[in-house]
Amino acid sequence: MAFSFEESIKTAKKDYGLNTGTWKISEGDNKVRLVTPFLPVESEYQGTKSVKFWGYLIDRKIGTIELARLPYAIIKIVSNYQRNPDYEFSDLPMPYDITITAKGAGTKEVEYGVIPARQNTPLTESEKEIIEKLDIESVVKKMREKNGQNSGGESEELEDIRAEDLPF
């Protein structure tokens, strides 16, 4: 009997929102929906400190809910949309998708753009069920505890968080 493990994984991701790691911004357009708060965690790499924002999003390309680490530049743009009368929102999940565009992804010189969808779209019942179980506060707390930091911070080893470490 022929069987494809790869197809089975794709089905699990699509049908059940299987999270297999940390979502990363790809070169080009990345259509997503932010569904939880994105909380700051300090990091240090080769002596340089920075803050990244951790939360969950729906990756529309593959249809799964993923843990994501977004840079300040993207969070700042989303913050500006949140205050704009044409795109304002106060509750999460966001009422519309956004497209994050990356030029030079994976480099220090990366440039980001964020474009909101022209209209609000409802979440599916399946997405709503998964989102209800998400607890980003516990995930960030676990990150900080793992690194002996109570008020923030992360080491580069948190780049690849294992799905079994997540509280759902």
Side-chain angles (χ1 to χ4, degrees):
M1 172 170 97
F3 181 81
S4 170
F5 284 97
E6 183 176 351
E7 287 303 314
S8 184
I9 291 169
K10 286 179 185 177
T11 299
K13 284 182 176 182
K14 185 175 185 334
D15 293 348
Y16 306 108
L18 176 66
N19 182 328
T20 58
T22 305
W23 183 84
K24 294 181 178 125
I25 298 170
S26 301
E27 185 74 18
D29 293 342
N30 300 267
K31 188 173 182 181
V32 300
R33 170 91 53 108
L34 306 185
V35 299
T36 67
F38 272 71
L39 304 176
V41 178
E42 183 181 50
S43 65
E44 184 174 339
Y45 181 67
Q46 296 180 344
T48 303
K49 289 187 178 187
S50 69
V51 173
K52 303 292 186 206
F53 294 80
W54 288 85
Y56 287 96
L57 55 73
I58 301 172
D59 180 345
R60 292 298 188 196
K61 183 176 182 181
I62 57 175
T64 60
I65 296 174
E66 303 285 338
L67 179 64
R69 180 178 74 172
L70 298 179
Y72 170 81
I74 292 173
I75 297 300
K76 180 68 175 162
I77 295 168
V78 171
S79 173
N80 290 337
Y81 282 124
Q82 188 176 28
R83 293 188 317 270
N84 181 307
D86 291 334
Y87 295 100
E88 68 186 343
F89 64 94
S90 58
D91 295 328
L92 290 170
M94 291 177 69
Y96 51 85
D97 292 342
I98 58 174
T99 300
I100 300 171
T101 303
K103 183 177 179 184
T107 69
K108 279 187 155 188
E109 296 78 28
V110 65
E111 295 177 16
Y112 297 112
V114 177
I115 302 167
R118 293 176 56 115
Q119 61 187 5
N120 294 357
T121 54
L123 296 172
T124 66
E125 288 303 314
S126 170
E127 290 169 339
K128 289 177 187 177
E129 288 175 16
I130 294 168
I131 291 166
E132 284 179 20
K133 298 174 188 173
L134 300 176
D135 182 4
I136 190 60
E137 290 85 2
S138 293
V139 173
V140 168
K141 181 179 178 187
K142 194 169 192 174
M143 288 178 188
R144 292 173 179 163
E145 287 173 355
K146 184 175 181 179
N147 292 293
Q149 301 165 347
N150 294 323
S151 61
E154 96 182 86
S155 70
E156 284 302 308
E157 70 182 289
L158 291 174
E159 177 71 24
D160 295 314
I161 294 176
R162 298 176 306 159
E164 58 267 18
D165 289 341
L166 301 177
F168 67 92

